[in-house]
Each structure stands twice: as structure tokens, then as C-alpha cells.
Amino acid sequence: NDKDGKAFWYPIDEQVKFIQSIKQGDEAVASESLKKIIHSLENESASIHVLRCKCYDIINTVLKTVYELELTEEIADLRSLVNFRSLKDLDFKLQQVIVTICEAVEQRKESHNNYLRDEILDYIQKQYKQHDLGLDKTAEVFQLSSSYLSRFMKEQTGVTFTQFVWDLRYQEFKRQLLKTDKSIKELVIDIGYLNVASFTRKFKAAEGLTPGQYRKQYQQDKKVAN
């Protein structure tokens, strides 16, 4: 490498960015990086033979990345890609490959995210009555970092992990509050809360009534209706 951070063929920093962006499915960055690489070749005074070798190196870099991603079936016309007529033609053909590969990567990520989301939500819905259920424990179960799981839950459900668990507990508490004769303390503990006073305050903030008042109001309304 020279002082400008260039490899013998073309800017190494752009090459790294180019490969990483394809692997991440970032079409915009990959496309821009390719344009910069092609532009660097256009401004060189190398012989046609050296220039063609450099072009083949770019093609090889793309193909190697595609193989690593196991998306070789997405490259339909390899012969056309190799038989480029000019730098502009190579740029055009590689841009088409970038679009195809990045779309495939995004679809794969979406499919994985949907599967992961369903698995996590199923786990939470089965475990939400356990008082020790939390972000860290759930992240550990799915071998994720707590920060990643936190972002993932927000992206996939629109609410935080804590809010999602609260909603499940809250709805189950109200269901049992109106359908059973269990004490408030029993119900609170049953849905995974250990601090009855804290839950009562949150319930009142949401409903404007304490759990006892809410139950009494429901029973009175039921009598009037009958």
C-alpha cells in the first residue's frame, strides 16, 4: 500500500467498504463504492492489459463475496459479466449484480428476523408470568446481547421489551380480576409481580381506579345490566 491508502490495483478502503456493504445488503453504499473504484481506474494511465486485469480483480472480488454469501444462483449470466466491453459497461453490469445480491441479502435478513421475532415472542408469551423474566435473561436464552434484543423488540413490535411484558401481564391481570374471586395479591403474584404496591400504582395510573375499585365497578355495572 502507498501513502494514499491505495492497493496496487485500486483504493483499498473502498474495496473493504464495497465488500462489507454487499454482505450487509446495503445497495446504496455498495453502488457508491463501486463507482469510486471504477472512477479511480478511469483516471489511471495503465496499459489496456493491466487495466483489464484490474477489472477482472473487481469481478473476482464480487464473485468471491457472492460465494461466501452462498448466493451463486443469483448470478445468472457470468459470461456476460466477464465479457465487458468498457469500464462503463463493467460498471453497469456489476451495478445490476449489486442490486440482485443486496435484495437477496435483505430478504434473507427479513426471513431470519421474522423467525427470530416469532421465537422470542412465543417464549415471552409462555414465560411472562415468571417473576424473573427480563431482558437480560431472554437475551441469554437466544444468545443475543441485551442491547441488540432491546433494539430488535422495539423494531419488531413498536414497543420496548418491558412494555411488551407489562401489556401481557396487565391484560391477564384484568381478565382474572373480573373473572375470578382471587385476592389482588394472589393475582399480582400470579402474573409475575412481587411488589403488589408498585403494581397497584401502575394499574391506577392506567385505569384511574385501584384494582379493587375496578373489580367493584365491574360487578356493579354487571348487576345493573342484568
Side-chain angles (χ1 to χ4, degrees):
N1 293 358
D2 64 19
K3 294 180 181 180
D4 296 325
K6 289 188 177 183
F8 176 68
W9 295 119
Y10 43 78
I12 192 66
D13 57 335
E14 286 301 333
Q15 180 183 1
V16 172
K17 187 189 294 184
F18 181 52
I19 295 169
Q20 289 178 339
S21 56
I22 292 176
K23 288 182 176 180
Q24 293 166 359
D26 193 334
E27 181 186 328
V29 174
S31 176
E32 184 61 28
S33 292
L34 177 62
K35 286 185 180 299
K36 289 181 179 179
I37 291 172
I38 295 294
H39 181 67
S40 73
L41 297 183
E42 288 174 337
N43 293 333
E44 288 189 5
S45 56
S47 69
I48 187 66
H49 302 295
V50 172
L51 187 60
R52 182 162 286 272
C53 285
K54 292 184 178 185
C55 290
Y56 282 134
D57 192 39
I58 297 173
I59 294 171
N60 184 56
T61 297
V62 173
L63 293 180
K64 183 179 177 182
T65 304
V66 169
Y67 271 87
E68 289 177 1
L69 292 170
E70 297 181 350
L71 291 171
T72 51
E73 293 182 4
E74 307 296 329
I75 306 297
D77 193 357
L78 181 58
R79 181 179 297 178
S80 174
L81 184 61
V82 174
N83 293 331
F84 60 93
R85 297 183 301 277
S86 64
L87 282 173
K88 185 175 181 180
D89 185 38
L90 177 62
D91 182 34
F92 175 76
K93 290 176 177 177
L94 284 176
Q95 292 289 356
Q96 290 180 311
V97 172
I98 287 172
V99 171
T100 302
I101 298 306
C102 286
E103 285 179 352
V105 170
E106 281 298 308
Q107 288 174 1
R108 181 185 287 175
K109 281 163 56 176
E110 183 178 355
S111 177
H112 171 73
N113 285 346
N114 289 343
Y115 174 78
L116 182 60
R117 178 199 63 211
D118 292 346
E119 289 292 300
I120 291 173
L121 297 188
D122 182 61
Y123 172 81
I124 294 173
Q125 287 162 352
K126 289 177 179 176
Q127 298 291 324
Y128 76 91
K129 290 186 178 182
Q130 304 302 314
H131 72 86
D132 62 344
L133 175 69
L135 180 68
D136 292 341
K137 180 180 179 180
T138 305
E140 186 177 343
V141 169
F142 289 93
Q143 298 182 317
L144 304 169
S145 70
S146 297
S147 59
Y148 178 85
L149 177 58
S150 179
R151 291 193 304 273
F152 185 77
M153 283 292 294
K154 183 71 174 180
E155 291 170 359
Q156 296 293 318
T157 68
V159 296
T160 63
F161 178 93
T162 302
Q163 185 62 46
F164 188 84
V165 173
W166 161 258
D167 288 342
L168 288 174
R169 289 173 169 173
Y170 179 61
Q171 293 304 323
E172 177 61 13
F173 176 83
K174 286 208 301 183
R175 187 190 70 78
Q176 291 197 46
L177 183 66
L178 304 181
K179 301 298 181 182
T180 74
D181 294 324
K182 291 181 181 179
S183 69
I184 304 300
K185 183 177 181 180
E186 281 182 289
L187 294 180
V188 172
I189 292 175
D190 182 67
I191 62 166
Y193 263 86
L194 298 180
N195 192 324
V196 178
S198 174
F199 180 85
T200 300
R201 284 194 298 271
K202 291 186 72 174
F203 186 94
K204 186 175 182 180
E207 296 292 343
L209 299 170
T210 65
Q213 292 170 335
Y214 189 88
R215 173 183 266 172
K216 187 175 181 180
Q217 182 68 55
Y218 172 78
Q219 292 170 342
Q220 290 175 347
D221 291 344
K222 190 176 180 181
K223 285 181 180 178
V224 172
N226 292 335

